[in-house]
Amino acid sequence: MQNTIRRIPLSKVNVPIKVKMKDENGERELEFIPGQLAALVDKLIVDAMHNPYLNVILSYIDKPIIWSFDLETAASDGIRVAFNPAFAYTLLEQG
C-alpha cells in the first residue's frame, strides 16, 4: 500500500504556528497564522493584476502558489512559484 501524505492548504490553517527562521540578524522565532498570510498574498496578487507592469509577469504564472516548509526561501521553475510561508511572512513584515 502506498503511503499518501494529506496536505492541508495553507489557507485552511487558521491557528498560530511558531517557526524558527534564520536571517542576517541571527535566528528568531516567528508566530503567524498561515491562513491570514495566504489570504493577504491572494489579495496582493489580485491588486497586482490591475497594475499593467505586474500583470505582464502574472500572466506567465497561471498556477496557484505552492506553500512548503521544505524550502528555505522561494523557488520557481518558470511556471510555478513556491514559497516557504515563514520566509513570505518575513517579506511582508518588511513591507
Side-chain angles (χ1 to χ4, degrees):
M1 174 182 258
Q2 180 182 356
N3 285 339
T4 55
I5 298 173
R6 294 184 181 249
R7 296 189 184 264
I8 299 170
L10 194 70
S11 59
K12 302 290 184 197
V13 181
N14 290 311
V15 295
I17 63 167
K18 291 183 180 181
V19 178
K20 290 187 179 183
M21 274 298 279
K22 291 182 183 178
D23 60 15
E24 66 275 356
N25 299 323
E27 188 172 278
R28 65 185 177 126
E29 189 172 88
L30 299 174
E31 182 175 314
F32 63 97
I33 299 173
Q36 290 178 349
L37 173 66
L40 178 59
V41 170
D42 287 344
K43 181 189 179 314
L44 292 171
I45 290 171
V46 169
D47 290 348
M49 287 179 183
H50 298 292
N51 179 314
Y53 302 105
L54 295 176
N55 193 11
V56 171
I57 296 168
L58 290 174
S59 68
Y60 290 101
I61 303 169
D62 62 349
K63 305 287 183 202
I65 293 175
I66 298 167
W67 298 99
S68 174
F69 285 104
D70 294 334
L71 296 170
E72 189 172 325
T73 55
S76 176
D77 63 1
I79 298 170
R80 296 169 298 218
V81 177
F83 283 99
N84 176 315
F87 173 73
Y89 180 78
T90 62
L91 293 178
L92 292 172
E93 270 187 330
Q94 295 173 13

